[in-house]
Amino acid sequence: MGGGIYCFEQLVTEYKWTNFTTYMYRKEVINKLPEFIWELNGADYSFNMHCAVYGNLGIIKEPLSVYRAGIGQWSSLSLIKQQQDTLDFAYISKEHFHKYYNGKYDDIFDKRIEKSIKNLKRVKAKAFKNKIRRFFKIKEK
């Protein structure tokens, strides 16, 4: 992901998920964060979403950390599992945000959930198509 400034809605609906090292945070915002964010799978994303409630997040463009693709907690998952986990996380996040912020962000999470459902269907359809091709030994055009 390139650098830039992102608001809460962009972070949620466009799924701007990066780790802690690529964002800049204000200390007074961090002090306002609810404790339950550390209980969620994907605490870094939850942390970023809560910070974005209090103002836009700036993403530093230069690489500040590395991620070993293929063996990490996320990249080692199948695409279907990644999409399912993304959808599950959207539902759980909506539930937590609904309670903590009195439903203020429900519509934004509904957009994320809708997008995640579409992505999951797309990935599952592609996987099924590939299984059929392998079974019948059909080559890609």
Side-chain angles (χ1 to χ4, degrees):
M1 177 186 315
I5 305 293
Y6 295 94
C7 69
F8 176 78
E9 185 168 357
Q10 289 173 302
L11 189 71
V12 175
T13 60
E14 297 174 21
Y15 207 57
K16 301 291 184 189
W17 190 332
T18 59
N19 62 29
F20 295 113
T21 64
T22 57
Y23 288 96
M24 297 174 279
Y25 305 99
R26 291 190 318 262
K27 183 179 178 182
E28 62 271 14
V29 170
I30 294 171
N31 291 335
K32 296 178 185 179
L33 298 177
E35 283 298 314
F36 73 79
I37 66 169
W38 306 111
E39 299 166 14
L40 297 174
N41 192 11
D44 50 354
Y45 188 48
S46 184
F47 181 92
N48 290 334
M49 287 190 296
H50 282 282
C51 285
V53 164
Y54 299 100
N56 294 340
L57 296 182
I59 300 175
I60 301 168
K61 189 174 183 174
E62 291 79 29
L64 300 172
S65 63
V66 295
Y67 182 82
R68 294 178 5 176
I71 60 170
Q73 180 181 359
W74 182 255
S75 65
S76 62
L77 301 176
S78 71
L79 287 177
I80 291 175
K81 181 68 172 138
Q82 286 179 358
Q83 292 302 319
Q84 184 62 59
D85 285 0
T86 299
L87 177 58
D88 293 345
F89 186 78
Y91 278 118
I92 291 166
S93 296
K94 180 183 176 183
E95 180 183 320
H96 284 284
F97 271 76
H98 178 82
K99 289 177 188 172
Y100 196 77
Y101 298 104
N102 299 313
K104 182 178 179 180
Y105 301 105
D106 285 359
D107 59 333
I108 294 172
F109 281 102
D110 287 341
K111 289 178 191 176
R112 175 71 251 170
I113 289 166
E114 182 180 327
K115 197 173 193 179
S116 292
I117 289 170
K118 286 180 183 177
N119 287 341
L120 180 58
K121 286 179 180 179
R122 180 184 49 78
V123 169
K124 282 183 172 181
K126 186 175 182 179
F128 180 73
K129 182 179 173 183
N130 288 338
K131 278 185 179 180
I132 296 297
R133 284 197 165 143
R134 283 192 306 272
F135 181 78
F136 290 108
K137 297 180 178 149
I138 301 170
K139 294 191 180 192
E140 190 78 36
K141 292 182 180 180

